[in-house]
Amino acid sequence: IRLRANGTFDTSFGAGGTVTIALRDLGHGAVPALVVMPDARVVVALGGYLPLTGANTVMRRRADGSLDTSFDSDGIAQSAPASVPIDVVDMVAQPDGKVTVLAHDYVPTTLLFMYRLGANGRVDGTFGDAASRTNLLASGITTGRSIDLIRRPDGRYAAMTAGTTGPASTIMLARTDANGKNGSTVALS
């Protein structure tokens, strides 16, 4: 749904101000993250878009709500730099059209990571320390959940995660440079 500043539906978006997306896995549907790009395109993470796996998909829509087919050739980026289904938790937009994604693997959550999609919707191979991603587990933590991602004004990233190894959760904070490299993750509790 897109609303005008006065709270009424923006009828230039979709059909009367709404866009409906049919999920392929009818048992699981969610929008865990959404970002508006500087040019008014909308990038949406969809939970349950792929059948059976529950994995998230990242989709980009034009300012009018139509699918942006310049994004991974069909508007839907179904790949991520992981060999397992993932849950997208948060995303941040860059002025150049790139989107950085915070995610963890679906089950079990042994991968906590961030990766970047180029303006073309493809995984940015120049991002991250290994396999086009930045791993976010602190030393001694083997499982966890991703929570929040920010892009600082200087372009560097900070991510908050929670480790679930052991009897209690451990809050972790990770920092990287603007390309997801030279990162460090520390346990805060």
Side-chain angles (χ1 to χ4, degrees):
I1 297 172
R2 186 164 69 199
L3 303 174
R4 293 186 185 100
N6 66 3
T8 61
F9 283 98
D10 180 350
T11 57
S12 69
F13 183 75
T18 66
V19 171
T20 302
I21 301 166
L23 298 178
R24 295 181 183 155
D25 177 1
L26 299 178
H28 173 197
V31 178
L34 180 143
V35 294
V36 178
M37 305 301 289
D39 62 1
R41 288 181 293 179
V42 179
V43 180
V44 182
L46 299 169
Y49 188 78
L50 297 177
L52 305 176
T53 65
N56 287 185
T57 298
V58 178
M59 174 183 292
R60 188 168 70 198
R61 299 272 173 169
R62 294 183 186 98
D64 66 2
S66 63
L67 199 56
D68 183 354
T69 57
S70 69
F71 188 72
D72 201 24
S73 76
D74 63 358
I76 303 164
Q78 296 180 348
S79 60
S83 60
V84 295
I86 64 165
D87 279 332
V88 173
V89 176
D90 200 7
M91 299 184 296
V92 295
Q94 293 183 202
D96 61 3
K98 296 177 182 176
V99 176
T100 304
V101 179
L102 177 67
H104 50 248
D105 55 337
Y106 188 56
V107 173
T109 52
T110 57
L111 292 173
L112 283 65
F113 62 98
M114 61 186 201
Y115 66 98
R116 186 166 61 198
L117 295 172
N120 63 2
R122 304 254 165 80
V123 173
D124 181 350
T126 67
F127 187 83
D129 290 320
S132 302
R133 68 178 184 236
T134 302
N135 295 315
L136 302 173
L137 283 170
S139 178
I141 307 294
T142 58
T143 61
R145 308 288 286 172
S146 297
I147 299 172
D148 196 19
L149 177 66
I150 62 168
R151 185 169 185 264
R152 296 167 36 144
D154 63 4
R156 294 185 295 167
Y157 294 94
M160 183 177 287
T161 59
T164 55
T165 305
S169 287
T170 301
I171 302 299
M172 297 177 288
L173 180 64
R175 294 186 316 181
T176 72
D177 67 15
N179 286 313
K181 299 179 187 308
N182 304 315
S184 63
T185 302
V186 296
L188 301 178
S189 63

